[in-house]
Amino acid sequence: MENATYRKRLREYPNLEYCENIYRHPAVKEEHIVRLKRYCDEALKNGYVDVDYSTNYDGGRYYTTNTKQLACCPMSKSVRATLFGETEYDVDIVNCHFGILLFLLEREYHDGGFYDKLYEYINNRERIIEEFNYKDKSKIKSLFPVLLYGGSVKAWEIEEDIVEGSYTLPPFVNEFKEQMKIITSVLLNNPIFKPIKQKYYKYKLAEAKEKHDAAQQGKKKKTPFDYEKFNLHDGKYLSAILHEYERIIIDDVIENVLRECGIPITAYCYDGFQIRKSDCDEITIEDLIDKINDYICVPYYGRIYFAN
């Protein structure tokens, strides 16, 4: 596998009081218990945990490299809130991938006729979600990322354990889904995104071949890897493009706003980051958010903004 190009190390400061027993809480997934305990044990020993991040290839988003520990980034929301909610601010991009996509479309294509449904969703999300007449709004919100990357309503129902007919499906959903097919096709055929597609394809091809070769170990008659059958769904390429810009934006803010303010980040969380409240003694979190958004507004056409 190709070595990752982008790396960073951050120091996390979980609340040590909760580190004593949080891994025993029934809300912690069984498969996370051992990894979370290792993380908490190190925090209790040192007062902090150093966490390394890297991209899986020379692009995309960051992931934690130590899979034996459950660091802040891959934690569930409830565990993260418990360990960091009292001592840290969580800052992230609002409606991240939809905002990035709209920015790219407005930058590349001034005629918004073929992405008006994306614009409508971003500007009227709460109204659209209300039209589903479903109590759990978080489950409804999870539908649109599925559609963004070419998934189906049926797949979403299965994933969220939602019974067909228990909600009202607004006409907007099918309109959005059909328009996303056009948007994805247009973007993926734009030469400016070709390098991202190529890097991602190379990474996924190497990953697939590695898994294939591992599965062939010990077999008397080995089957060669079929390069011609290897294929990636268009939604995967779109995801790679948006993840690339997500990382670029976060790194840009870290280097050019937070560093200027003398505020180190403690954890990277894909579309955002965490900072300690104690490091914000010279600037309020509200003023810091305003400073970030003022910096990011013009280069990203006002489509990217952060919130706490």
Side-chain angles (χ1 to χ4, degrees), residues 209-223:
K209 187 175 185 306
E210 187 177 274
K211 289 180 180 179
H212 170 84
D213 292 348
Q216 297 299 308
Q217 293 297 318
K219 292 184 177 181
K220 291 183 178 180
K221 187 177 181 181
K222 293 181 171 60
T223 304

mmCIF file of all heavy atoms in Angstrom, residues 209-223:
data_model
loop_
_atom_site.group_PDB
_atom_site.id
_atom_site.type_symbol
_atom_site.label_atom_id
_atom_site.label_comp_id
_atom_site.label_asym_id
_atom_site.label_seq_id
_atom_site.Cartn_x
_atom_site.Cartn_y
_atom_site.Cartn_z
ATOM 1 N N LYS A 209 -6.550 -5.433 -4.225
ATOM 2 C CA LYS A 209 -5.601 -6.487 -4.598
ATOM 3 C C LYS A 209 -4.952 -7.097 -3.357
ATOM 4 O O LYS A 209 -4.733 -8.307 -3.286
ATOM 5 C CB LYS A 209 -4.524 -5.938 -5.526
ATOM 6 C CG LYS A 209 -3.610 -7.034 -6.086
ATOM 7 C CD LYS A 209 -2.630 -6.502 -7.086
ATOM 8 C CE LYS A 209 -1.821 -7.633 -7.708
ATOM 9 N NZ LYS A 209 -1.153 -8.483 -6.696
ATOM 10 N N GLU A 210 -4.659 -6.265 -2.385
ATOM 11 C CA GLU A 210 -4.061 -6.751 -1.140
ATOM 12 C C GLU A 210 -5.001 -7.719 -0.426
ATOM 13 O O GLU A 210 -4.576 -8.785 0.058
ATOM 14 C CB GLU A 210 -3.732 -5.563 -0.231
ATOM 15 C CG GLU A 210 -2.951 -5.926 1.015
ATOM 16 C CD GLU A 210 -2.593 -4.701 1.826
ATOM 17 O OE1 GLU A 210 -1.561 -4.077 1.552
ATOM 18 O OE2 GLU A 210 -3.370 -4.348 2.744
ATOM 19 N N LYS A 211 -6.284 -7.375 -0.374
ATOM 20 C CA LYS A 211 -7.275 -8.258 0.254
ATOM 21 C C LYS A 211 -7.424 -9.552 -0.533
ATOM 22 O O LYS A 211 -7.546 -10.641 0.052
ATOM 23 C CB LYS A 211 -8.619 -7.537 0.345
ATOM 24 C CG LYS A 211 -8.655 -6.423 1.371
ATOM 25 C CD LYS A 211 -10.015 -5.761 1.412
ATOM 26 C CE LYS A 211 -10.062 -4.643 2.451
ATOM 27 N NZ LYS A 211 -11.399 -3.970 2.484
ATOM 28 N N HIS A 212 -7.413 -9.435 -1.866
ATOM 29 C CA HIS A 212 -7.521 -10.625 -2.709
ATOM 30 C C HIS A 212 -6.340 -11.559 -2.482
ATOM 31 O O HIS A 212 -6.526 -12.769 -2.291
ATOM 32 C CB HIS A 212 -7.578 -10.212 -4.183
ATOM 33 C CG HIS A 212 -7.439 -11.354 -5.132
ATOM 34 N ND1 HIS A 212 -8.494 -12.156 -5.520
ATOM 35 C CD2 HIS A 212 -6.327 -11.847 -5.771
ATOM 36 C CE1 HIS A 212 -8.060 -13.089 -6.334
ATOM 37 N NE2 HIS A 212 -6.755 -12.921 -6.520
ATOM 38 N N ASP A 213 -5.145 -10.994 -2.498
ATOM 39 C CA ASP A 213 -3.942 -11.825 -2.333
ATOM 40 C C ASP A 213 -3.901 -12.481 -0.956
ATOM 41 O O ASP A 213 -3.455 -13.627 -0.820
ATOM 42 C CB ASP A 213 -2.692 -10.964 -2.538
ATOM 43 C CG ASP A 213 -2.540 -10.503 -3.989
ATOM 44 O OD1 ASP A 213 -3.266 -11.024 -4.856
ATOM 45 O OD2 ASP A 213 -1.711 -9.606 -4.239
ATOM 46 N N ALA A 214 -4.366 -11.766 0.070
ATOM 47 C CA ALA A 214 -4.397 -12.339 1.410
ATOM 48 C C ALA A 214 -5.360 -13.518 1.472
ATOM 49 O O ALA A 214 -5.095 -14.534 2.135
ATOM 50 C CB ALA A 214 -4.810 -11.274 2.427
ATOM 51 N N ALA A 215 -6.489 -13.406 0.764
ATOM 52 C CA ALA A 215 -7.478 -14.480 0.743
ATOM 53 C C ALA A 215 -6.978 -15.710 -0.010
ATOM 54 O O ALA A 215 -7.471 -16.821 0.199
ATOM 55 C CB ALA A 215 -8.774 -13.980 0.117
ATOM 56 N N GLN A 216 -5.990 -15.523 -0.889
ATOM 57 C CA GLN A 216 -5.443 -16.628 -1.687
ATOM 58 C C GLN A 216 -4.369 -17.421 -0.947
ATOM 59 O O GLN A 216 -3.982 -18.503 -1.381
ATOM 60 C CB GLN A 216 -4.854 -16.080 -2.996
ATOM 61 C CG GLN A 216 -5.858 -15.422 -3.924
ATOM 62 C CD GLN A 216 -6.938 -16.369 -4.388
ATOM 63 O OE1 GLN A 216 -6.659 -17.460 -4.886
ATOM 64 N NE2 GLN A 216 -8.197 -15.957 -4.227
ATOM 65 N N GLN A 217 -3.890 -16.852 0.162
ATOM 66 C CA GLN A 217 -2.833 -17.520 0.910
ATOM 67 C C GLN A 217 -3.292 -18.901 1.391
ATOM 68 O O GLN A 217 -4.381 -19.056 1.936
ATOM 69 C CB GLN A 217 -2.428 -16.675 2.122
ATOM 70 C CG GLN A 217 -1.755 -15.363 1.767
ATOM 71 C CD GLN A 217 -0.438 -15.555 1.025
ATOM 72 O OE1 GLN A 217 0.364 -16.439 1.377
ATOM 73 N NE2 GLN A 217 -0.215 -14.743 0.011
ATOM 74 N N GLY A 218 -2.455 -19.900 1.168
ATOM 75 C CA GLY A 218 -2.748 -21.256 1.627
ATOM 76 C C GLY A 218 -3.536 -22.092 0.633
ATOM 77 O O GLY A 218 -3.720 -23.290 0.849
ATOM 78 N N LYS A 219 -4.034 -21.450 -0.419
ATOM 79 C CA LYS A 219 -4.789 -22.198 -1.419
ATOM 80 C C LYS A 219 -3.832 -22.871 -2.401
ATOM 81 O O LYS A 219 -2.842 -22.268 -2.819
ATOM 82 C CB LYS A 219 -5.740 -21.271 -2.186
ATOM 83 C CG LYS A 219 -6.890 -20.716 -1.353
ATOM 84 C CD LYS A 219 -7.835 -19.893 -2.219
ATOM 85 C CE LYS A 219 -9.024 -19.394 -1.417
ATOM 86 N NZ LYS A 219 -9.967 -18.603 -2.249
ATOM 87 N N LYS A 220 -4.137 -24.114 -2.775
ATOM 88 C CA LYS A 220 -3.297 -24.821 -3.735
ATOM 89 C C LYS A 220 -3.400 -24.194 -5.120
ATOM 90 O O LYS A 220 -2.412 -24.041 -5.826
ATOM 91 C CB LYS A 220 -3.701 -26.297 -3.793
ATOM 92 C CG LYS A 220 -3.369 -27.067 -2.523
ATOM 93 C CD LYS A 220 -3.733 -28.540 -2.678
ATOM 94 C CE LYS A 220 -3.367 -29.325 -1.421
ATOM 95 N NZ LYS A 220 -3.712 -30.761 -1.552
ATOM 96 N N LYS A 221 -4.637 -23.844 -5.489
ATOM 97 C CA LYS A 221 -4.854 -23.215 -6.784
ATOM 98 C C LYS A 221 -5.271 -21.767 -6.580
ATOM 99 O O LYS A 221 -6.384 -21.463 -6.173
ATOM 100 C CB LYS A 221 -5.944 -23.970 -7.567
ATOM 101 C CG LYS A 221 -6.117 -23.476 -9.000
ATOM 102 C CD LYS A 221 -7.145 -24.304 -9.750
ATOM 103 C CE LYS A 221 -7.291 -23.806 -11.190
ATOM 104 N NZ LYS A 221 -8.309 -24.601 -11.936
ATOM 105 N N LYS A 222 -4.338 -20.882 -6.834
ATOM 106 C CA LYS A 222 -4.587 -19.465 -6.606
ATOM 107 C C LYS A 222 -5.231 -18.818 -7.828
ATOM 108 O O LYS A 222 -4.850 -19.089 -8.964
ATOM 109 C CB LYS A 222 -3.289 -18.734 -6.246
ATOM 110 C CG LYS A 222 -2.703 -19.153 -4.904
ATOM 111 C CD LYS A 222 -1.444 -18.364 -4.607
ATOM 112 C CE LYS A 222 -0.977 -18.596 -3.188
ATOM 113 N NZ LYS A 222 -0.666 -19.994 -2.897
ATOM 114 N N THR A 223 -6.205 -17.942 -7.566
ATOM 115 C CA THR A 223 -6.879 -17.199 -8.624
ATOM 116 C C THR A 223 -6.248 -15.816 -8.751
ATOM 117 O O THR A 223 -6.150 -15.094 -7.753
ATOM 118 C CB THR A 223 -8.383 -17.029 -8.304
ATOM 119 O OG1 THR A 223 -8.968 -18.317 -8.095
ATOM 120 C CG2 THR A 223 -9.099 -16.304 -9.426
#
